[in-house]
Amino acid sequence: MLGGAGDLARTLRQAGFADPAAAVANLEALTPTPRDAELLAPAFPRLLAELAAAPDPDMALNNLERYAAVVDRAVLFGTLAEHPGAAALLARVGGASQFLADVLRRRPNTLAWLLEPRTMRAWLAEEFAADAAQAVRPFTTREARMNALRRFKYRQILRIGARDLLGDADLAVTTEELSRLADACLAQATADALGDARPRFGAPLDAAGRETGLAVIGMGKLGGEELNYSSDVDLMFVYGAEGETAGGPEGRLENGEYFARVCRDVVAMIEEVTEEGYAFRVDLRLRPEGRMGPVAMSLDAYGAYHRERAELWERQALLKARAVAGDQDVGARFMDWAGRTVYRAGVDERVLPAIHGMKREIDRALRGRHAEASARNVKLGRGGIREVEFLVQALQLLYGGDDPWLRERNSLKALFRLTERGYLAPDLGRRLSHALVHLRTVEHRLQILHEFQTHTLPDDPSELGRLARRLAIDAPPRVAARRFTAEHRAVTRDVHRAFREFFGERPAAAPARPRLPSRMALAATGFADPERALQNLRMIVEGRPLVPYPGALRAALARLPPVLLDACWKSPDPDEALNQFERFLAAAGPRAGYVELLAARPELLAGLVRVCAGGDLLAQLLVAQPELLVSLADPAVLEGRRTRADFRAALAPVFAAGLGAAEQRDLLRRIKQAQELTVVWRYLLGVTDVDRYSREMTALAEATLAAGWLMALGAQVERHGVPRDARGRFVPAVIVGLGKLGGRELTTGSDLDLFVTFGRADADTADGQTEGPERVDAHTFYSGAVERLASALGDITPAGIAFAVDLRLRPGSKGSGFAAGVDALERYYEEHGDLWERQSLTRARLLLGDRALARRVRATLRRLVYRAPLPAGALKEIRDVRRRMEVELGKETRGRWHVKLGRGGLVDVEFLAQALQLVHGATHPEVRTASTTAALAALGRIAALPAADALAARYRFLRRVSTALRLLGARPTDTLELAGPMPARVAAALGLSSRDALLAAYREATDAVRAAYSEVFA
């Protein structure tokens, strides 16, 4: 293939092989006959390049040779030549993980499955469960089912590891999939164990004779969906109530003994080593009383234990608890109890010293064992994972009782929420998030090599270099080792500094407090909760409990209260304004310049306070990026209109030279959030009305979508090349927006409903193939691009998310990929499209892509929607769908209204408009518009809808209510809870005099909307 052995050895040495002579021997063993060498020759250049790029080229080649020895070489070499991804997959897996390479060699047919596009994607929890059930279904004996479960586990872990090593899945996706894999194994084992016990002893019953069940609770990394490749699964078992079984051939058992037997059986099914290996190691030491405690306990027993004997660390451990298998009702009841047990109102000052004491014990144990190795321990060592986790959990225990948004099991997501809410300064939150991703990735790359449960960095420079290359540092091993060491030291230094500062000793003497208004004075001037207001004022001038402000900032803040209180008294909601303003200052950290700016600019302070009174969502944006206050101080922000061109210009820095993919994603999110802040700022200050606000939000979404699509296409082209048809012409694509995106009616928290179609405007077929190193067809190329787009915009990173992308309205079945050829799109809607899909297309709008193709798609969609009158019974079918939505999704009660899905809500107006568009669109082209308000106006002009203007006014009112709910809540919602403070807050946001005034206006609007809806659908 490359001349003689000497030439080949030189080539291999230049390619980065550490032992060229052994590599030559591997290649000779790989092609033992001239025919084999001839078959491999077409694929060899690409194969050699992939092997050289592997973290350990020598190991990659050796594993390839061992794999070839157990398969048909002709088939393997043909696959390497013809499949664009085969060489990369074998080289990356074989060069980074001996464990996964051995799995593949023992199950060689798995390669074909791995090379299918549908395999190499993120799997949903229900898909894991279905795959596990299918794996064990053919077998009836315990031993055979255990072996089948292990084959399922290793096949899936090979898929997950391959995606990880190929860069197709980030840390969050990988750990989530590993956790879902464990969930599926536990669910199957639990079902089998219960299925074996019940016929023998009868159903377990409580004291009242009702059947009770067993729930499996995942703790630690399993609970947080953060499993490694070699993690134990920490479990607790809980059953619903004491009692005894109904009896069977082997008699009756007390429920405690019955479920203990079942649980021991579950553990055995999971961790026993069979000829196929083991599924997972199980650790039950987190249960009450540890090794000495019962394997399973009732809900009441857990409650009694935690009331009487539990220590703080056991409460801390419940932060991660998650019901992973078994009885859903019992699991939900356990989680409800755990939430009440973990999160308590007020600040518990025992938390910090207790957690710090735990860390000291860990440090002491490490020093006592292997001091040198402990310094290299990425989990327990100084600046390691445990320090990040302890810091996060301390903040959650301190503040999660009063702030439910902090109740998050996953450490990375919890860091994001703590930063978002202002408990961590934005820069520190970003650095800790980066550190956690780095440390967990290092931990993964340590464990993926041999599936050993190790957390210690190698001390051998060559091994450290290979680890660095497994971490995608593209350099020779010794250079890679130096780069990794420098980055790792910086990360651990950052983490330990934050840990030390947070848990360090506090000065005993507190500075003198400034004079603050009394509770009576605060109550007299409009504060509904003067006690909370006084607490907020104290935190504003002194800092949060246990996290005080430095002296210079405290002095600046002491001058602020009079001006601040004046602004709060004039705001729609003084309590909320002061609460959110305190969060903003906490997030701003020790930057006195912001305070000086606010004190010097009363109008800016008044605007900021009014925005803070507007609720959680906008405050979260300011908390995430306090530096945006300076940009909001620019009067130009409130002038003119914000267009898609403006937002595209603002997003241009995302494509600055030198930025990596992760940096691009984070920058995209930060710029999008900054621009969203200005859009909402303009709305809350009355510069825009709800229609203009939605159009500006939609323009921002379209600009963000364009940036995300460019990033997705760039990554696809780099890997696969450009898709072209048989004549060499480019095969383009377009993005079609649906729902609120199509109708230009987006609001804060909206998803982006869309689909992608590809093809040429002048061709009957969308067939094509890429021209790059890994060739795929056009369908695979654009499906991958859509998947990358959804990830680029919707994945949670340290900077949050940009927009969630919803692809459920795309044409075709769920298994047909994420993009459709234009010919397939036409065929699908012609032959298989349902009425609801035709209805959804009334809101279709071409957003971006090839203009010629867009014209064809637009014409096609209009023809599909409007060419034929509605069939008989269509209005009844639309009405039935709406009724189901109202009952099953709206779920209104006397004390809970749903602005979107409830009676007379937004969807009533939208369904009414869409039904009339379908009825009249064929003969009146002017009603063919994606905007609901524009459709209402057009229907009014053709006399198809009496009182269209009045209906549009009520629709705008409901949209204002929905927008207020989304801005005021911690999470975007369309639900109005009548019993809480939200109606009064919404009333203030809409400028209404009282809660009762809002409820009266809302009921008048929804009654009128439902009357109009009923008239159309009579």
Side-chain angles (χ1 to χ4, degrees):
M1 288 176 285
L2 286 172
D7 292 337
L8 183 55
R10 280 191 294 276
T11 299
L12 294 172
R13 182 179 293 106
Q14 291 167 358
F17 287 80
D19 189 346
V24 169
N26 279 136
L27 282 173
E28 290 172 349
L30 181 65
T31 54
T33 70
R35 177 59 178 163
D36 291 327
E38 181 183 342
L39 290 171
L40 181 59
F44 188 72
R46 182 196 296 173
L47 175 63
L48 182 59
E50 294 291 354
L51 291 169
D56 187 338
D58 299 79
M59 186 171 87
L61 178 56
N62 186 56
N63 279 318
L64 177 64
E65 184 269 316
R66 294 173 70 219
Y67 177 74
V70 298
V71 298
D72 185 321
R73 293 178 194 272
V75 174
L76 171 62
F77 297 157
T79 301
L80 288 170
E82 295 167 10
H83 196 290
L89 189 151
L90 288 168
R92 295 292 172 85
V93 169
S97 174
Q98 189 59 52
F99 145 59
L100 292 179
D102 290 343
V103 170
L104 181 60
R105 187 168 53 85
R106 287 197 301 271
R107 301 165 178 82
N109 294 336
T110 309
L111 178 63
W113 179 69
L114 291 174
L115 294 175
E116 294 176 8
R118 294 181 186 179
T119 299
M120 298 296 275
R121 56 173 176 80
W123 283 41
L124 301 174
E126 51 265 33
E127 293 176 302
F128 278 105
D131 198 32
Q134 184 178 6
V136 303
R137 189 175 296 122
F139 306 100
T140 55
T141 68
R142 174 189 172 90
E143 182 180 1
R145 290 174 73 84
M146 287 172 65
N147 281 328
L149 192 64
R150 283 145 180 76
R151 286 192 294 272
F152 156 75
K153 176 252 182 164
Y154 282 110
R155 182 164 56 94
Q156 283 291 349
I157 210 166
L158 180 57
R159 180 190 66 80
I160 294 167
R163 275 172 40 82
D164 181 12
L165 293 169
L166 287 167
D168 290 343
D170 63 12
L171 175 72
V173 171
T174 300
T175 57
E176 184 178 52
E177 286 211 280
L178 288 169
S179 303
R180 287 174 175 173
L181 173 59
D183 291 353
C185 290
L186 287 164
Q188 189 61 53
T190 303
D192 282 5
L194 288 168
D196 177 68
R198 186 185 179 107
R200 296 162 56 200
F201 303 104
L205 307 175
D206 65 13
R210 295 183 298 263
E211 187 169 344
T212 188
L214 173 76
V216 184
I217 308 300
M219 306 289 285
K221 284 188 170 67
L222 175 61
E225 296 183 294
E226 302 165 304
L227 276 190
N228 297 328
Y229 288 102
S230 188
S231 291
D232 294 350
V233 290
D234 294 301
L235 300 179
M236 297 198 307
F237 295 98
V238 58
Y239 55 92
E242 300 294 354
E244 67 175 8
T245 63
E250 299 184 33
R252 298 174 185 269
L253 289 176
E254 296 290 327
N255 282 354
E257 174 58 24
Y258 173 83
F259 285 118
R261 291 189 182 204
V262 169
C263 295
R264 285 193 287 269
D265 201 17
V266 171
V267 172
M269 287 185 185
I270 292 295
E271 72 172 10
E272 274 187 10
V273 178
T274 74
E275 63 193 48
E276 295 287 353
Y278 68 97
F280 290 91
R281 293 181 301 270
V282 177
D283 191 336
L284 302 178
R285 289 176 296 174
L286 290 179
R287 70 187 189 269
E289 308 290 1
R291 289 190 177 95
M292 304 301 294
V295 174
M297 290 170 53
S298 69
L299 279 166
D300 287 345
Y302 272 101
Y305 175 82
H306 274 266
R307 280 192 305 273
E308 298 164 7
R309 300 193 300 282
E311 298 182 27
L312 180 65
W313 72 263
E314 293 175 285
R315 179 181 153 205
Q316 180 186 352
L318 286 173
L319 281 165
K320 296 277 194 182
R322 179 172 64 90
V324 299
D327 189 287
Q328 292 184 1
D329 177 64
V330 174
R333 288 160 60 200
F334 179 90
M335 292 311 304
D336 182 63
W337 163 82
R340 296 193 307 273
T341 301
V342 173
Y343 297 109
R344 301 171 184 177
V347 174
D348 185 350
E349 298 196 9
R350 299 173 302 161
V351 168
L352 287 186
I355 293 179
H356 197 196
M358 283 185 248
K359 183 60 172 67
R360 279 197 303 268
E361 290 300 315
I362 292 171
D363 291 344
R364 187 178 297 116
L366 285 173
R367 283 196 301 271
R369 290 204 299 265
H370 305 288
E372 184 183 348
S374 72
R376 304 194 310 274
N377 192 306
V378 298
K379 178 180 180 181
L380 302 177
R382 176 170 291 197
I385 294 167
R386 188 54 52 85
E387 289 192 356
V388 182
E389 291 178 336
F390 274 16
L391 194 154
V392 168
Q393 290 166 17
L395 286 167
Q396 289 180 294
L397 288 172
L398 282 169
Y399 301 117
D402 295 324
D403 192 345
W405 184 239
L406 304 183
R407 301 173 188 176
E408 168 57 56
R409 303 178 193 94
N410 182 279
S411 297
L412 190 60
K413 293 177 182 177
L415 268 173
F416 166 64
R417 293 189 180 194
L418 287 163
T419 306
E420 181 183 53
R421 299 294 261 191
Y423 298 93
L424 289 171
D427 180 61
L428 176 59
R430 282 192 287 270
R431 284 188 285 116
L432 288 176
S433 297
H434 167 74
L436 186 58
V437 170
H438 167 85
L439 292 166
R440 292 299 313 278
T441 305
V442 172
E443 188 180 38
H444 273 242
R445 294 297 178 264
L446 285 169
Q447 296 185 1
I448 203 171
L449 181 60
H450 292 299
E451 203 191 8
F452 294 160
Q453 194 176 28
T454 179
H455 309 282
T456 304
L457 297 175
D459 53 4
D460 177 76
S462 298
E463 288 186 33
L464 190 63
R466 287 191 285 273
L467 170 66
R469 285 174 61 84
R470 291 201 297 277
L471 289 160
I473 297 178
D474 186 14
R478 289 190 179 274
V479 177
R482 288 196 295 271
R483 291 184 189 171
F484 165 75
T485 300
E487 180 183 359
H488 185 70
R489 283 176 179 164
V491 164
T492 54
R493 188 167 54 244
D494 259 1
V495 169
H496 189 64
R497 183 188 301 118
F499 182 84
R500 188 178 63 246
E501 290 174 356
F502 186 79
F503 287 99
E505 296 298 324
R506 309 289 170 185
R513 291 180 174 179
R515 292 193 61 179
L516 297 174
S518 67
R519 294 174 182 81
M520 186 178 298
L522 290 169
T525 49
F527 286 95
D529 186 351
E531 181 65 40
R532 180 67 182 273
L534 187 59
Q535 181 186 5
N536 277 322
L537 279 172
R538 283 179 179 150
M539 288 195 291
I540 285 170
V541 298
E542 297 170 16
R544 291 189 169 184
L546 309 172
V547 193
Y549 291 131
L553 180 58
R554 194 182 303 114
L557 283 163
R559 301 191 296 273
L560 192 63
V563 192
L564 172 62
L565 286 173
D566 184 61
C568 287
W569 293 331
K570 295 174 182 176
S571 74
D573 188 341
D575 295 84
E576 183 66 12
L578 195 58
N579 186 43
Q580 300 292 358
F581 186 83
E582 186 277 324
R583 287 182 54 220
F584 166 73
L585 281 185
R591 289 179 270 195
Y594 291 154
V595 180
E596 298 289 359
L597 177 63
L598 291 169
R601 294 274 303 275
E603 77 285 356
L604 179 63
L605 177 60
L608 177 60
V609 167
R610 182 174 178 81
V611 167
C612 287
D616 278 356
L617 205 66
L618 190 60
Q620 286 174 15
L621 295 174
L622 273 169
V623 163
Q625 301 184 71
E627 60 274 14
L628 295 176
L629 178 66
V630 177
S631 64
L632 294 179
D634 183 357
V637 168
L638 302 180
E639 298 172 358
R641 292 188 170 193
R642 309 301 305 281
T643 65
R644 182 165 63 173
D646 296 327
F647 294 126
R648 282 194 169 190
L651 287 164
V654 170
F655 299 99
L659 292 180
E663 294 171 303
Q664 280 189 313
R665 288 185 174 205
D666 282 354
L667 185 57
L668 177 72
R669 282 152 175 72
R670 286 196 291 273
I671 295 175
K672 177 264 177 181
Q673 290 161 1
Q675 295 301 315
E676 182 174 5
L677 179 61
T678 64
V679 171
V680 181
W681 175 271
R682 288 159 55 83
Y683 174 65
L684 288 178
L685 296 186
V687 176
T688 57
D689 61 13
V690 71
D691 288 334
R692 187 67 231 168
Y693 159 71
S694 289
R695 293 181 78 85
E696 288 187 358
M697 279 297 301
T698 306
L700 173 59
E702 290 179 32
T704 308
L705 189 63
W709 187 234
L710 193 57
M711 291 162 59
L713 289 178
Q716 285 292 92
V717 169
E718 183 178 351
R719 181 169 180 177
H720 301 294
V722 173
R724 300 189 183 278
D725 66 9
R727 296 165 55 186
R729 299 177 302 174
F730 173 56
V731 179
V734 293
I735 297 182
V736 180
L738 300 163
K740 284 183 167 57
L741 175 61
R744 292 191 176 94
E745 295 165 358
L746 289 182
T747 186
T748 296
S750 294
D751 294 350
L752 305 186
D753 294 301
L754 57 87
F755 67 80
V756 171
T757 185
F758 61 91
R760 290 191 58 83
D762 56 356
D764 293 332
T765 177
D767 292 346
Q769 190 177 44
T770 60
E771 58 185 5
E774 296 183 23
R775 296 190 176 186
V776 295
D777 58 44
H779 179 264
T780 301
F781 176 88
Y782 280 116
S783 285
V786 174
E787 193 169 9
R788 287 181 186 273
L789 171 68
S791 173
L793 299 187
D795 282 357
I796 296 177
T797 77
I801 72 167
F803 285 99
V805 175
D806 192 335
L807 302 169
R808 288 175 295 177
L809 294 178
R810 68 186 186 275
S813 64
K814 289 184 179 179
S816 62
F818 294 112
V822 65
D823 52 335
L825 174 143
E826 294 170 350
R827 191 165 55 251
Y828 172 81
Y829 283 124
E830 291 277 6
E831 298 175 4
H832 307 291
D834 291 326
L835 176 60
W836 69 265
E837 291 176 294
R838 181 178 171 187
Q839 180 186 347
S840 73
L841 291 178
T842 60
R843 308 195 78 183
R845 182 168 61 89
L846 274 294
L847 302 180
L848 58 95
D850 181 76
R851 291 186 178 182
L853 179 60
R855 286 193 292 271
R856 174 179 171 180
V857 171
R858 184 181 294 111
T860 297
L861 295 180
R862 286 184 175 173
R863 174 174 53 82
L864 291 167
V865 175
Y866 295 115
R867 71 172 179 181
L870 280 179
L875 286 179
K876 179 181 181 300
E877 184 177 339
I878 294 173
R879 185 185 63 205
D880 290 344
V881 170
R882 171 68 186 109
R883 183 183 297 116
R884 284 176 52 204
M885 292 172 68
E886 182 178 340
V887 172
E888 297 173 14
L889 302 177
K891 297 180 180 178
E892 286 192 312
T893 65
R894 271 188 257 180
R896 180 181 180 275
W897 295 349
H898 203 293
V899 183
K900 179 180 178 181
L901 298 170
R903 175 188 176 278
L906 292 166
V907 174
D908 265 15
V909 183
E910 291 161 1
F911 269 48
L912 176 155
Q914 291 157 18
L916 291 177
Q917 285 177 290
L918 293 173
V919 170
H920 299 285
T923 54
H924 293 85
E926 59 266 40
V927 307
R928 303 174 187 174
T929 174
S931 163
T932 302
T933 52
L936 293 174
L939 290 165
R941 286 194 296 271
I942 66 168
L945 180 62
D949 291 343
L951 186 60
R954 291 183 173 100
Y955 182 63
R956 289 188 179 94
F957 170 78
L958 293 174
R959 286 175 59 205
R960 290 177 64 209
V961 174
S962 172
T963 300
L965 284 170
R966 286 168 170 264
L967 293 175
L968 290 167
R971 297 184 181 184
T973 180
D974 288 302
T975 300
L976 183 63
E977 300 285 353
L978 273 59
M982 192 58 76
R985 294 179 64 194
V986 173
L990 269 59
L992 297 173
S993 59
S994 66
R995 170 187 185 277
D996 291 341
L998 169 74
L999 299 184
Y1002 182 87
R1003 184 48 74 200
E1004 186 279 329
T1006 53
D1007 285 346
V1009 166
R1010 179 47 62 99
Y1013 172 88
S1014 299
E1015 186 174 341
V1016 169
F1017 287 95

